[in-house]
Amino acid sequence: IVFNSSGAVTLTLPNTLPEGWECGIVQMGAGVVTISVAGSPPLSRAGHNKTAGQYAQAYVFVASNSSGTSAQVVLGGDTAT
């Protein structure tokens, strides 16, 4: 998904995404993209939940969703807090 905005935007993923679902995110504009999963932050090594700046690329992956309504989404790439 490519975001080309001058202001900050939020991408809220549903917690019903299936295990194995994945998506690339690109911040083309100046507006930072915040990623959340049904109101909570995604899992990441450093607690990051945003793209790091213009031209940043991030990646989200659903590692598990055993109940069908509790997706564990992992965020990686060029990210920040």
Side-chain angles (χ1 to χ4, degrees), residues 20-73:
W21 184 89
E22 58 189 324
C23 180
I25 298 164
V26 178
Q27 178 192 327
M28 287 299 291
V32 171
V33 180
T34 299
I35 297 99
S36 70
V37 184
S40 62
L43 305 171
S44 69
R45 185 178 59 81
H48 291 180
N49 67 334
K50 299 177 182 179
T51 52
Q54 191 168 20
Y55 309 120
Q57 296 179 44
Y59 173 79
V60 291
F61 175 76
V62 178
S64 69
N65 193 350
S66 59
S67 71
T69 59
S70 58
Q72 290 189 313
V73 176

